[in-house]
Amino acid sequence: MINSKNITDSDIQKKIDHEIRMREGTCKLLGACSQKDQALEASKSLLTCNTRILAYMSELQRMKEAQILQRATRRPSDSAPLDERLPCKGKVAISDLRIPLMWKDTEYFKNKGELHRCAVFCILQLGGEIHDTDMVMVDRTMTDICFDSTIIFQEACPGFELRMELYSCCSEDESSTGSASRKLASKLGSSLSRSSGKKFRSGLEPGGGSPVSNGGGAPLLLPAPSNSGPKYHLLAHTSLVMAHVQDAFRTHDLSITGNEECSYWLPLYGSACCRLVAQPRCMTEQMMSGRLKVKHLGGDSQSCKTTYSVLRGTKLFCYLQEDNVEAEVEPAFTIAINKETRIRATDKDPHGKAQSICISNRYGGEEVTHVLSAERREDTQRWMEAFWQHFYDMSQWKQCCDDLMKINVPLPRKPTAVMTKQGSLYHEMIIDTSDDIGTVTDILARRVKEESFLSHPEGPLHWMSLFGESPPPSHSLQGAGLSPHLYCRSPRDPGRHQRGQLSDSPGSPLFPRSRPRTLSLDAKLSSLRGRGYGSSPAQAPQPIPSCSSSTSSHSSSEGSTASETDSVPFPRSTTARSSLRNLRAKLDPRNWLQSQV
Amino acid sequence: MSFIPGQPVTAVVQRIEICKLRQCDNLILGFSIGGGIDQDPGQNPFSEDKTDKGIYVTRVSKGGPAEAAGLMIGDKIMQVNGWDMTMVTHDQARKRLTKKNEDVVRLLVTRKSLEDAVRNAMV
């Protein structure tokens, strides 16, 4: 008993050492990294490491205390009766974690100015296992915080408590992530002459590691651990227990710490949705197996089959041969073992050597009984013991034993190259070739007419001729969804058309295959972006093709604008027009213009 | 490919000479650019560093002059005919590429594969 405790002691010690090494490495990385994303990731790892170290240390403490207590009371170890029955352990998985946000509607729709962004992630703790989710950047264009990861805890008991903590850290767009000393160093280095600047900079270091200069750049200062870098703060937390386990999505309440004054504040709706499932071992593993003679009482007379039986989940599978189990052949028959089942041991007959086990189930209104007997008495005892343990497990794991809950482990996805900002739900536009182009052009024509009153000196409808030539994208306008930023220029000369054909996007189909109308914000954008940005431009959601690239319309801005400026100057590029173009382009802060040259 | 303010920018570049193609009244190069100091760098799909506000090639037309000259999608344009393109607005960049009195543009472009190739060669 004490020996086994020692083994686990050193296990925990090893884990602690490992985490401490990880923490040192992460601190170094934090001091060395220059990019905001790296710093946020490193800071997240640091927080997780610290949490794990704390957890392991407290577990170690508890074990040591238990040891001391045991030695003190001097419990006799030999004559200890069978320990009270312990339920089997199981796997607990939490997935599809989603936390709704509640922005003020004014903030959400106006969407002007700089975007206040926060980096958030969750730490999930069950027993001694601590996992963290990936980090997600959240700004006011998002309606929910979604974590795609599925987290699986391996050793959970029925009385588990899964503690979920949401951490967030404000990330300003403008400021760089350097420690103050590094910023100062680079400022001084640039203002002083190069050689004296270098000397000064190396003098500024806190005596840590050696300066690593990157080709004349500022040396990387190594700060003391846990000093520099972005700091995460606890924003909300909640605890989940077995009562919350269900093979479906459920909403749970969140306790929110922090208030609006904090920099890391996000307006949480106050609940979290997730899918929490549990797979107890008794449902997934073979609890007991062996040869049994099974007799079906009451049925076709005294047919006594010799089977190789396996107890797993809610059934006793009886195979004709042992090989059938691996070969995954269907069992000869199956006996249900669930909460309604009644089992008792009987003495078969006074002449018989072995005890036997009677299993009764109710199917419909009928009671069906099977009698199992093993070859030897000890085997029958072991089977009884297995059944009792199984029943105990089922009583402890309650609803988890009704049916096997599936744990979906998503395939590791390749990280999308682009995804830094996620699109706004309301500015997304879907293009579907099955849409009626007539209504689209009508609506667009009307809009352009309105706009033309403002600035266009010439007729606004020249671009409509484009629609005859090239397959047009269609449009599903949702009310006022079409943003007023739309800008269309009319090509003057038909020569432009031919050039448009030349600039056909290579290989890829011009316009999207039919896609479902409704889309779920982030997933859609990320899949679109991941498909390779430049090569399939037509698949990006587009409200309108730009005229100069008539066949490949690509604007990287999220949906609402198609302000593509044309480089080769139109013969009649009026000042009013260019100023309008600039204004339009600059109005939308989430624009990323592309120009054709 | 990002920069540290105050420090010289270094990059491994390739010279690309593009002869503009005349089509009726227009001179075209056959590619599209994105980026600029007035643009949002986070939306640039080609940049390694998402704070890089340089000018990137977002599309190269098939069979156009740029493709023939060896320009590739994702390239960052450092100079055009001697003019710097690492610190320009989008419109300035466009104008520098599309001067009507120039028939040829000489670009200096950089891409990750160039840096990798040089680094591997030096090892």
Side-chain angles (χ1 to χ4, degrees):
Chain A
M1 187 77 161
I2 296 186
N3 276 342
S4 66
K5 279 250 164 73
N6 279 345
I7 289 173
T8 33
D9 259 0
S10 61
D11 275 349
I12 296 190
Q13 194 59 48
K14 278 203 201 102
K15 282 195 229 170
I16 293 180
D17 291 338
H18 173 76
E19 291 300 325
I20 289 183
R21 276 200 301 274
M22 291 270 301
R23 183 170 71 174
E24 284 171 7
T26 311
C27 287
K28 286 206 186 98
L29 179 62
L30 201 55
C33 59
S34 54
Q35 296 183 27
K36 191 166 42 173
D37 296 336
Q38 281 180 353
L40 285 169
E41 287 285 347
S43 189
K44 170 176 95 102
S45 317
L46 190 61
L47 188 57
T48 314
C49 281
N50 282 338
T51 318
R52 284 194 181 129
I53 291 175
L54 278 175
Y56 293 150
M57 292 189 113
S58 50
E59 191 176 331
L60 199 61
Q61 180 88 357
R62 261 180 288 127
M63 288 179 74
K64 291 218 158 75
E65 279 172 9
Q67 276 181 12
I68 293 174
L69 216 57
Q70 194 182 25
R71 262 182 250 142
T73 59
R74 290 179 186 267
R75 245 186 286 153
S77 43
D78 336 69
S79 62
L82 245 179
D83 284 352
E84 50 210 59
R85 206 179 281 283
L86 294 171
C88 65
K89 301 258 171 135
K91 279 199 222 179
V92 169
I94 180 168
S95 60
D96 305 293
L97 192 52
R98 187 172 62 88
I99 300 174
L101 296 168
M102 189 175 59
W103 300 102
K104 295 205 198 77
D105 51 358
T106 46
E107 277 186 41
Y108 192 86
F109 287 105
K110 268 204 200 140
N111 216 2
K112 268 209 284 253
E114 80 284 351
L115 230 43
H116 173 66
R117 306 177 80 192
C118 281
V120 298
F121 74 99
C122 266
I123 287 191
L124 297 138
Q125 179 172 8
L126 195 157
E129 300 177 64
I130 296 179
H131 296 272
D132 58 354
T133 61
D134 293 331
M135 185 186 76
V136 170
M137 297 297 291
V138 176
D139 55 38
R140 64 167 177 260
T141 64
M142 294 175 62
T143 53
D144 306 77
I145 308 175
C146 297
F147 295 108
D148 289 330
S149 23
T150 304
I151 310 240
I152 303 179
F153 298 93
Q154 303 290 337
E155 300 286 324
C157 5
F160 69 82
E161 182 185 342
L162 173 62
R163 192 173 152 81
M164 184 190 86
E165 291 170 349
L166 181 69
Y167 287 91
S168 87
C169 166
C170 170
S171 99
E172 294 299 341
D173 285 332
E174 305 312 311
S175 64
S176 60
T177 66
S179 55
S181 50
R182 186 148 60 94
K183 281 189 207 157
L184 183 61
S186 60
K187 274 206 190 110
L188 287 173
S190 57
S191 57
L192 303 171
S193 75
R194 265 187 99 176
S195 52
S196 52
K198 242 189 185 156
K199 273 191 229 148
F200 196 92
R201 266 178 265 143
S202 48
L204 263 184
E205 280 167 53
S210 53
V212 177
S213 46
N214 40 1
L220 304 168
L221 304 173
L222 301 176
S226 73
N227 266 352
S228 72
K231 284 244 173 335
Y232 284 95
H233 304 269
L234 180 64
L235 183 59
H237 65 95
T238 184
S239 284
L240 301 173
V241 292
M242 197 172 68
H244 297 127
V245 170
Q246 197 181 340
D247 200 356
F249 289 97
R250 279 182 69 166
T251 309
H252 312 277
D253 290 323
L254 271 182
S255 324
I256 303 180
T257 55
N259 51 35
E260 285 195 9
E261 311 303 320
C262 314
S263 64
Y264 55 88
W265 167 258
L266 282 173
L268 300 177
Y269 189 73
S271 48
C273 310
C274 66
R275 185 168 172 265
L276 184 65
V277 296
Q279 274 185 355
R281 297 240 188 283
C282 58
M283 296 296 286
T284 54
E285 293 175 2
Q286 291 185 6
M287 300 308 288
M288 179 77 188
S289 56
R291 308 202 72 81
L292 278 178
K293 284 209 199 69
V294 183
K295 188 156 53 171
H296 181 199
L297 274 187
D300 30 352
S301 53
Q302 307 291 317
S303 63
C304 190
K305 286 205 173 70
T306 312
T307 65
Y308 181 79
S309 303
V310 169
L311 173 63
R312 188 180 71 223
T314 55
K315 298 193 174 61
L316 180 71
F317 300 93
C318 301
Y319 298 89
L320 287 175
Q321 289 164 23
E322 192 168 340
D323 312 328
N324 288 356
V325 184
E326 284 94 44
E328 297 194 8
V329 176
E330 285 293 314
F333 50 90
T334 319
I335 304 175
I337 309 278
N338 50 37
K339 299 191 190 83
E340 316 294 317
T341 311
R342 276 184 302 286
I343 292 192
R344 59 179 203 284
T346 61
D347 281 318
K348 186 167 160 185
D349 45 325
H351 315 302
K353 294 170 283 211
Q355 268 187 329
S356 54
I357 303 173
C358 247
I359 302 182
S360 332
N361 275 310
R362 277 199 153 268
Y363 292 121
E366 302 186 1
E367 182 144 346
V368 179
T369 310
H370 297 269
V371 178
L372 314 174
S373 44
E375 284 153 27
R376 293 186 314 234
R377 200 180 182 86
E378 306 85 59
D379 290 342
T380 317
Q381 288 280 31
R382 280 196 293 128
W383 273 100
M384 273 314 286
E385 173 61 29
F387 283 127
W388 278 328
Q389 175 70 35
H390 202 69
F391 281 136
Y392 182 69
D393 292 339
M394 292 203 291
S395 72
Q396 292 297 300
W397 282 101
K398 302 201 179 98
Q399 78 268 26
C400 310
C401 287
D402 289 338
D403 223 341
L404 183 63
M405 298 188 190
K406 288 221 175 0
I407 295 181
N408 301 324
V409 181
L411 297 164
R413 276 180 303 174
K414 269 188 285 218
T416 53
V418 198
M419 210 54 199
T420 45
K421 280 201 189 150
Q422 310 201 7
S424 152
L425 171 65
Y426 295 97
H427 289 278
E428 198 92 30
M429 292 287 203
I430 311 114
I431 300 168
D432 211 327
T433 46
S434 58
D435 277 2
D436 181 19
I437 189 57
T439 35
V440 173
T441 52
D442 284 342
I443 296 170
L444 290 174
R446 252 185 289 127
R447 280 217 178 245
V448 172
K449 266 209 191 92
E450 292 163 16
E451 287 171 6
S452 72
F453 287 132
L454 301 173
S455 62
H456 282 270
E458 66 280 336
L461 298 181
H462 294 237
W463 55 263
M464 296 277 285
S465 60
L466 264 184
F467 279 51
E469 311 266 342
S470 56
S474 39
H475 219 355
S476 62
L477 296 173
Q478 299 139 15
L482 191 56
S483 111
H485 297 313
L486 266 190
Y487 175 81
C488 347
R489 292 145 293 112
S490 45
R492 189 53 144 167
D493 34 346
R496 185 160 307 282
H497 274 274
Q498 280 138 29
R499 174 161 80 81
Q501 309 303 334
L502 178 70
S503 64
D504 206 328
S505 111
S508 61
L510 284 178
F511 281 92
R513 322 166 262 277
S514 57
R515 260 183 288 153
R517 258 173 205 267
T518 54
L519 79 156
S520 71
L521 47 143
D522 323 314
K524 195 67 180 175
L525 247 193
S526 58
S527 69
L528 286 170
R529 290 255 167 96
R531 259 187 257 156
Y533 195 84
S535 57
S536 49
Q539 288 159 357
Q542 287 296 315
I544 190 173
S546 76
C547 308
S548 61
S549 60
S550 59
T551 50
S552 50
S553 45
H554 60 128
S555 152
S556 64
S557 63
E558 273 107 36
S560 60
T561 63
S563 357
E564 198 168 309
T565 58
D566 189 36
S567 62
V568 180
F570 292 102
R572 354 159 234 90
S573 189
T574 62
T575 49
R577 198 194 215 171
S578 50
S579 69
L580 174 70
R581 181 198 312 154
N582 291 340
L583 190 64
R584 287 277 161 76
K586 281 170 184 153
L587 269 183
D588 192 337
R590 291 169 309 127
N591 215 354
W592 197 66
L593 289 182
Q594 293 179 50
S595 303
Q596 188 142 21
V597 295
Chain B
M1 288 199 251
S2 61
F3 73 96
I4 303 171
Q7 301 303 319
V9 174
T10 55
V12 182
V13 292
Q14 177 177 351
R15 284 208 187 93
I16 293 191
E17 192 170 301
I18 307 181
C19 304
K20 295 191 188 178
L21 181 64
R22 188 169 288 277
Q23 280 203 329
C24 303
D25 263 354
N26 314 317
L27 280 174
I28 63 157
L29 291 163
F31 66 99
S32 298
I33 54 167
I37 54 178
D38 56 338
Q39 302 293 309
D40 175 10
Q43 297 187 37
N44 185 341
F46 303 105
S47 56
E48 259 186 75
D49 174 16
K50 291 303 169 195
T51 60
D52 185 358
K53 294 185 169 179
I55 305 292
Y56 281 78
V57 175
T58 59
R59 200 172 60 90
V60 178
S61 317
K62 207 171 169 62
E67 193 192 30
L71 191 67
M72 293 176 28
I73 189 174
D75 287 353
K76 176 177 174 182
I77 303 182
M78 308 296 278
Q79 281 183 13
V80 170
N81 284 346
W83 294 98
D84 168 63
M85 297 284 264
T86 60
M87 263 301 134
V88 291
T89 63
H90 186 85
D91 219 35
Q92 283 171 351
R94 185 184 59 76
K95 285 185 181 144
R96 295 218 181 121
L97 283 163
T98 56
K99 292 207 191 311
K100 281 204 113 167
N101 51 3
E102 289 173 358
D103 274 338
V104 169
V105 286
R106 292 180 179 84
L107 311 179
L108 287 184
V109 303
T110 182
R111 56 181 85 99
K112 183 98 188 0
S113 53
L114 285 178
E115 308 236 1
D116 290 343
V118 170
R119 199 177 318 129
N120 292 338
M122 292 205 300
V123 161

